[in-house]
Amino acid sequence: MKKFFLTLLFCSILSQCFAFLPITDENMKQAIDYGVAGKQDNRKITDFLNPWKIAERTLKNPYREKESIVLYTPYLLAAIHARDKVEESRVPELADIRAAVNEYDGITLIGARLNAPVVLKEGEYTVRLVQEKTVLAPYAYNFLSWEMIDVIDKEATEKAKKPEKTGDIMYTEVKQKPVMKKLAVLDYQFYFDSSQFNPNQKFAILISDKYCGERRFEVDPGAIR
């Protein structure tokens, strides 16, 4: 996916404070190597992001498949920008990558992959960052993409199974094709003002809508590079 970061919204309104501690040149070089290797190995962006994914905790969404969020740390930002440079057939230079990462000063960027029975429109869902008594809404967001996929409707498939009598008291299950249903896979990015909370301490991302209820993602920045 070329240019995964499509836009950077409203940067100028935020104070200049890094969402996480700045990484050293050594770590920046490691991030660049990760980004270059990921592109050269043709790793899908979903696999590329795996070390930074956080799974949904409650598992109450009846339409869920593989819901997760991504915490875009400076390390990951550097890796993605390096990946983009390789895709453009350009050599990722340390100074250029650092400058690109510094554009996210004051911003905590969260990516989210959600599942729903329909494509959620603006106003049909809410997003909140919660840290102790602090509750924040994102100041901006990007709706990156969506697609409808076919998945097995486990409940409907189970109900559709019919027992077949094979004797006086013996029954056997009739083999039946699984019942399928349509599911929307939605990709977003949410931007939070890092000056309004402590981005180096644990926080939660809550995403709710009328179809799926509330999803909860617990974030521990100290456990993510």
Side-chain angles (χ1 to χ4, degrees), residues 5-117:
F5 292 94
L6 303 179
T7 57
L8 184 63
L9 303 177
F10 308 128
C11 300
S12 60
I13 69 172
L14 298 180
S15 60
Q16 294 298 306
C17 61
F18 230 114
F20 301 91
L21 295 177
I23 57 177
T24 63
D25 283 353
E26 180 180 355
N27 287 339
M28 185 75 75
K29 290 176 182 177
Q30 291 178 5
I32 292 172
D33 290 342
Y34 180 84
V36 171
K39 184 58 186 175
Q40 290 177 339
D41 294 341
N42 292 318
R43 294 180 65 190
K44 295 180 179 179
I45 190 67
T46 52
D47 295 332
F48 183 84
L49 296 174
N50 276 341
W52 294 270
K53 286 182 182 178
I54 300 164
E56 201 274 323
R57 179 177 179 179
T58 65
L59 301 179
K60 293 180 179 179
N61 177 4
Y63 304 97
R64 72 182 183 275
E65 284 295 307
K66 295 182 180 179
E67 293 188 305
S68 63
I69 64 169
V70 172
L71 178 63
Y72 288 95
T73 65
Y75 188 105
L76 178 55
L77 291 169
I80 289 177
H81 284 294
R83 177 189 173 101
D84 286 345
K85 293 290 186 183
V86 174
E87 189 166 356
E88 296 168 352
S89 299
R90 299 170 60 187
V91 177
E93 300 289 347
L94 179 61
D96 293 339
I97 300 300
R98 182 175 288 281
V101 172
N102 285 341
E103 291 181 359
Y104 293 84
D105 279 4
I107 297 169
T108 295
L109 178 57
I110 299 290
R113 168 158 286 194
L114 307 177
N115 300 134

Side-chain angles (χ1 to χ4, degrees), residues 182-202:
K182 292 289 186 181
L183 190 71
V185 180
L186 313 170
D187 286 306
Y188 298 88
Q189 287 176 336
F190 300 107
Y191 299 78
F192 295 91
D193 182 347
S194 301
S195 68
Q196 300 301 306
F197 74 109
N198 187 341
N200 295 304
Q201 298 298 319
K202 294 179 181 180

